[in-house]
Amino acid sequence: MSLLVVGSVAIDNVETPQERRDDLLGGSATHFSYAASFFTPVRLVGVVGEDWPAQHTELLQSRGVDTAGLQQRAGGKTFRWTGRYLPNMNDRETLDVQLNVFGDFDPIVPAAFQDARFVFLANGVPAVQAKVLAQAPHRDIVVADTMDLWINEHRPDLDALLQQLDGLVLNDGEAKLLTGQQNLVAAAEAVLDLGPRFVIVKKGEHGSMYFGRDEAGRLDSSVLPAFPTRDVVDPTGAGDSFAGGFMGYLTEQGKIDGATLRTAMAYGTVVASYNVEGFGLERMTSVTRAAIDERLAQYRKMLAF
Amino acid sequence: MSLLVVGSVAIDNVETPQERRDDLLGGSATHFSYAASFFTPVRLVGVVGEDWPAQHTELLQSRGVDTAGLQQRAGGKTFRWTGRYLPNMNDRETLDVQLNVFGDFDPIVPAAFQDARFVFLANGVPAVQAKVLAQAPHRDIVVADTMDLWINEHRPDLDALLQQLDGLVLNDGEAKLLTGQQNLVAAAEAVLDLGPRFVIVKKGEHGSMYFGRDEAGRLDSSVLPAFPTRDVVDPTGAGDSFAGGFMGYLTEQGKIDGATLRTAMAYGTVVASYNVEGFGLERMTSVTRAAIDERLAQYRKMLAF
């Protein structure tokens, strides 16, 4: 079974208290694809400009990511993001954003991708996310990410999209903003009333929470801490690689029952913990499925009592 | 086996976005004692003033807490704290502190308490915490809490105390302050170099982490999220009731191997989740060991994958 992802593909400049690195392979769909590729074949839809280095595409292809849906716009420039992490390595400032070709991204799902059953709509304009669904008629499971900008400024489109989702992935601040609830449990439950069958609330270095309903309609929840790591080099893309590990595992399993969703969250947690150990995708290039499974076993031990 | 605790006993005024409540039974040793009482007999050493209501002592006694070490100072006033919680119910402002009789607290461990094998030194001046150890010659396991004030202003005394501890319990900001490490894993490991055999880092609504060394000297760690609760009424004392559940269970078991420490953390987490569901100790008065065990089972299920 394969997984379709649509979202941003970017070139990042990242500054940390230790180091500054320019021209990193970035973007939500990129981190997602790479993370998911350890579990399932991934089909990527995105857009880049003329300045996009061919070796970035090759890196994704080396993991089996199908880049047939990666449009390259002649005369355009790739989406660029520059950010700086504070000493706590959790909070960051965005120093510069140039949307470039991503600003009027019109996703085109190649014919060969249209049989996709698992679909992930990485963070983007809700109306654009919705366009993808019209091009994935065989979709079974659709999960989306969103952000404060769309919650504040594209609410009607977002509300319409929520009706079409199986799951929503968002961070804690966004869950509170979307629902007006300050308590995260109350916020997560309120998200379920907006349409999705389940919601994953990402809390950065503090882990994630899952809320859904079981077959009998009863509230079902799970809560997992982040995998504690000493070596936080660059947190960029942690949330996207979490989502990639999560969706990758769900697609591999071909189902979304409660037990599978919980294990998927754990895999997402572990994959994200590798992602932050290097700039961009650098650490991920030396990760294997065996290493992921080994850290998953270590993580399970850490949670046991 | 019984547990000796020494620390603050207070009268709190608490303001939340919903309500203000005055004259609540508060203090670190109080929340600790009540929480620990579900697991083991507790012996409390503290000081109060003339204004201390007898029914507060009776409430503790009703849980089997031995209050023979609770000095009542004639002509003095009880330690008073007034605080206000922000709408997120995690951050708070201290509006007023009157140390009163706690300001020159000289702990006296009654003769009948001196055979204590498990000792908890709730947050206090390190030199005063050390005075207790001299009065507990049969101590096997000593765990202490501390805070930023002592780290900044009583560092030599604190360093000396750390040499005498089996375990240190402190919050994330304090762990960073104590060690100069911004990464929590690095900070926790650095705490172990200061003396304690294990450290518990409390992260408030984000749970807790444990770092210690196994019999072979290898680093052993555990990480647990907080129990997610909708009904956060008053977070005051959450950390102390966490410590109470933790130490209570250790004392009940009579050992501190890795498996017991992990289960103790889980019990601490669950007891703290009840504590925050009411003002002061109000919610705790309707809690039973059976309810704690039931929530523990629910919590275990939430963490399983």
Side-chain angles (χ1 to χ4, degrees), chain A residues 108-171:
Chain A
I108 297 164
V109 180
F113 288 8
Q114 295 191 357
D115 61 348
R117 290 188 45 215
F118 283 72
V119 177
F120 186 74
L121 307 172
N123 187 10
V125 185
V128 174
Q129 291 176 310
K131 275 189 179 178
V132 172
L133 297 187
Q135 301 175 65
H138 298 284
R139 65 188 186 276
D140 269 347
I141 306 297
V142 181
V143 179
D145 196 347
T146 194
M147 72 184 290
D148 48 3
L149 184 62
W150 322 129
I151 296 169
N152 284 324
E153 298 183 13
H154 293 244
R155 189 59 194 260
D157 287 347
L158 180 59
D159 281 337
L161 181 74
L162 289 170
Q163 297 296 324
Q164 301 194 66
L165 300 181
D166 295 279
L168 180 68
V169 175
L170 75 183
N171 74 32

Side-chain angles (χ1 to χ4, degrees), chain A residues 6-47:
Chain A
V6 185
S8 66
V9 177
I11 298 175
D12 288 348
N13 302 321
V14 174
E15 204 176 302
T16 71
Q18 280 70 44
E19 200 176 343
R20 177 178 167 121
R21 295 286 296 276
D22 289 340
D23 298 325
L24 296 163
L25 175 48
S28 60
T30 317
H31 281 280
F32 178 97
S33 295
Y34 205 96
S37 74
F38 292 99
F39 303 90
T40 194
V42 180
R43 294 155 166 184
L44 169 65
V45 171
V47 63

